[in-house]
Amino acid sequence: MLRLTVRKRKDVFVYLSTVVFSILFILVGNRIAMRHVVDRSDSDDVIEQAKVTKIVERVSDDEMLSDGEIGENTVVTFVAEITKGERKGMSIVATQAIESYESMTTREVQQGDRILLYERTIVEGEDPTWVFGEYLRTPTLYKLLAIFFVAILLFGRFKGFNTIVSLAFTCLAVFAVFIPSILSGYNIYFWSILVSVFITAMTLLLIYGASQKSLAAALGCIGGVLVAGALTLIMDRGLMLTGITSEDSVFLLYLDTPNPISLKAIIFAAIIIGAIGAIMDVSISISSALSELRDNAQNPTFGLLLRSGLSIGRDMMGTMANTLILAYIGSSLSTVVLLVAYNSSLLELFNREMIVVEILQSLVGSLGMLLTIPLTSLISASLYTGRWWARRRSPQPVHEDEEI
């Protein structure tokens, strides 16, 4: 009873310490990362949430396109009621302009739609005009997110709650620390590894606590991530990458930062951040399975645990490699389809830098995950059969005067 109480206190201390450290990491990291971030927002538009209450008119005219076809420009005038903010309840007249090249992608507003409106002053001194900005999609996303969180809590209970907390810290680490560090012109290689190590340690400590299982998984995961990073640096030179994989990447070159943003470093960070989830999954699965084997086997030896870890890893290898490859393909499926449609030569297609980078991400991530299997198995077998575990398993005498 005494031993369980002490262990419970230790778990609570580790949990709270991890939460406090994570908060400090986010706050301090954000302050450092934001040090040289420039506010590049040059828009004075006022954005309001509104609901369409009435369609006033729809005006269309034809336009001759560059390919000789006739396109249609449409202007929809409607009445909307502002639903939030200081002007809540105010009815305004706004317009939605749909150019001919947008006619296939933009839906005309309808009564009852929830939208974002922009207040714009076109001519100084005249009354501002209201124009359609975007459909308000976040409420639907919030509902789906709520369902996701409820499902995690119902299935995982307290570990599910810890999963949500770790997910929140992970998102904050990426969006409040890592991305601002890029915009400040800091070393992307250093910050991507720092954030990856933080995510790994924080996630394992919050969900699994301070234990040999977490230590083995953390060491195996960090080792796999470092291997993936090293392979990326090696292949970077061999593949003669420039980092220009899309129009968006070109715009990064024109950002005003103290140090120019390295597009090659962006590729490195994308591979590391993209692979860390799968690598962590592999490492904790092996570490947890070997921990259960140690607790239930009569005489677990180093060789038995190592062989078992490698066997479990081989069973996981195929599906996890597919997970990475399919995730990367799915994230840029539209672009891949276009490239395949307009390239008659497979040789040319597979030498395009964008395709090469996608393949590189898949292969390097899979190799990092593959090498995580023997590394985590070796570390777990070493820790689980060490002297520390032998002392822990030995019975401890309980004195009568001890507080139970």
Side-chain angles (χ1 to χ4, degrees):
M1 178 74 73
L2 176 64
R3 194 180 309 165
L4 289 176
T5 303
V6 172
R7 184 175 180 182
K8 186 175 181 180
R9 289 177 180 175
K10 176 187 173 183
D11 292 340
V12 172
F13 175 77
V14 170
Y15 182 88
L16 294 178
S17 299
T18 304
V19 171
V20 172
F21 175 79
S22 299
I23 294 174
L24 291 176
F25 179 86
I26 300 298
L27 294 177
V28 176
N30 177 259
R31 176 168 295 185
I32 296 174
M34 292 289 292
R35 189 170 295 170
H36 302 295
V37 174
V38 179
D39 184 6
R40 300 176 177 87
S41 176
D42 56 357
S43 175
D44 296 327
D45 294 343
V46 176
I47 303 176
E48 296 284 1
Q49 298 182 30
K51 180 180 180 181
V52 179
T53 57
K54 181 181 179 182
I55 304 297
V56 178
E57 65 175 348
R58 179 185 184 275
V59 179
S60 299
D61 58 2
D62 295 334
E63 178 187 21
M64 181 69 71
L65 302 179
S66 58
D67 57 4
E69 295 185 1
I70 301 297
E72 184 180 65
N73 294 329
T74 304
V75 176
V76 180
T77 304
F78 58 92
V79 178
E81 179 182 338
I82 297 177
T83 56
K84 281 192 176 182
E86 296 180 356
R87 291 184 277 196
K88 181 179 179 181
M90 176 180 173
S91 292
I92 55 177
V93 178
T95 58
Q96 178 192 29
I98 304 176
E99 304 292 339
S100 56
Y101 64 89
E102 296 178 328
S103 59
M104 296 296 293
T105 59
T106 304
R107 183 177 72 86
E108 294 183 16
V109 293
Q110 299 176 5
Q111 185 174 343
D113 287 344
R114 294 186 177 274
I115 59 175
L116 294 178
L117 289 175
Y118 295 162
E119 183 184 28
R120 292 177 176 172
T121 303
I122 300 177
V123 179
E124 190 173 350
E126 294 186 359
D127 293 335
T129 59
W130 291 90
V131 296
F132 169 86
E134 275 290 352
Y135 288 100
L136 188 61
R137 300 181 174 96
T138 47
T140 303
L141 288 178
Y142 291 152
K143 292 176 183 177
L144 181 60
L145 188 63
I147 294 173
F148 172 68
F149 285 161
V150 169
I152 289 180
L153 291 173
L154 289 177
F155 184 76
R157 298 182 182 180
F158 185 66
K159 278 195 175 182
F161 173 78
N162 294 339
T163 301
I164 295 174
V165 174
S166 67
L167 181 61
F169 282 134
T170 297
C171 293
L172 287 173
V174 173
F175 290 101
V177 178
F178 179 60
I179 292 180
S181 72
I182 297 176
L183 296 177
S184 290
Y186 290 133
N187 189 300
I188 299 176
Y189 297 100
F190 169 78
W191 282 86
S192 60
I193 293 176
L194 176 65
V195 170
S196 297
V197 171
F198 164 74
I199 291 174
T200 301
M202 175 271 301
T203 301
L204 293 175
L205 285 174
L206 285 181
I207 298 178
Y208 303 102
S211 61
Q212 288 182 319
K213 177 169 63 176
S214 297
L215 178 61
L219 294 176
C221 179
I222 293 172
V225 169
L226 293 178
V227 167
L231 288 173
T232 303
L233 295 177
I234 294 172
M235 297 306 297
D236 174 31
R237 178 172 298 183
L239 294 173
M240 293 174 286
L241 299 177
T242 64
I244 302 176
T245 58
S246 65
E247 294 181 359
D248 295 334
S249 60
V250 176
F251 293 140
L252 293 177
L253 297 174
Y254 298 100
L255 292 179
D256 182 20
T257 57
N259 298 306
I261 295 177
S262 171
L263 297 185
K264 293 183 179 181
I266 292 290
I267 293 177
F268 174 88
I271 292 176
I272 295 299
I273 299 293
I276 189 172
I279 292 177
M280 195 189 314
D281 189 23
V282 169
S283 63
I284 191 60
S285 296
I286 293 177
S287 176
S288 180
L290 295 185
S291 176
E292 289 295 321
L293 178 61
R294 173 200 64 184
D295 292 340
N296 292 282
Q298 291 185 349
N299 294 305
T301 62
F302 174 85
L304 173 64
L305 294 179
L306 180 60
R307 289 192 300 271
S308 299
L310 295 176
S311 177
I312 294 169
R314 281 192 290 269
D315 290 338
M316 299 175 59
M317 183 174 57
T319 55
M320 292 308 299
N322 283 339
T323 298
L324 278 177
I325 291 174
L326 294 176
Y328 287 128
I329 293 176
S331 63
S332 56
L333 185 59
S334 298
T335 306
V336 172
V337 170
L338 281 176
L339 289 174
V340 173
Y342 287 98
N343 281 271
S344 58
S345 171
L346 288 178
L347 179 63
E348 179 187 359
L349 177 65
F350 284 105
N351 280 278
R352 282 181 173 268
E353 184 161 346
M354 178 184 176
I355 299 297
V356 169
V357 169
E358 293 291 334
I359 296 174
L360 178 65
Q361 288 179 317
S362 303
L363 293 179
V364 168
S366 297
L367 282 171
M369 183 188 62
L370 182 63
L371 293 176
T372 301
I373 293 172
L375 184 58
T376 306
S377 300
L378 180 63
I379 294 173
S380 298
S382 299
L383 289 175
Y384 296 165
T385 57
R387 293 181 180 178
W388 182 87
W389 171 243
R391 288 200 302 269
R392 185 181 175 190
R393 292 187 65 183
S394 60
Q396 300 292 328
V398 179
H399 300 288
E400 294 181 358
D401 57 345
E402 286 184 338
E403 183 179 346
I404 306 251

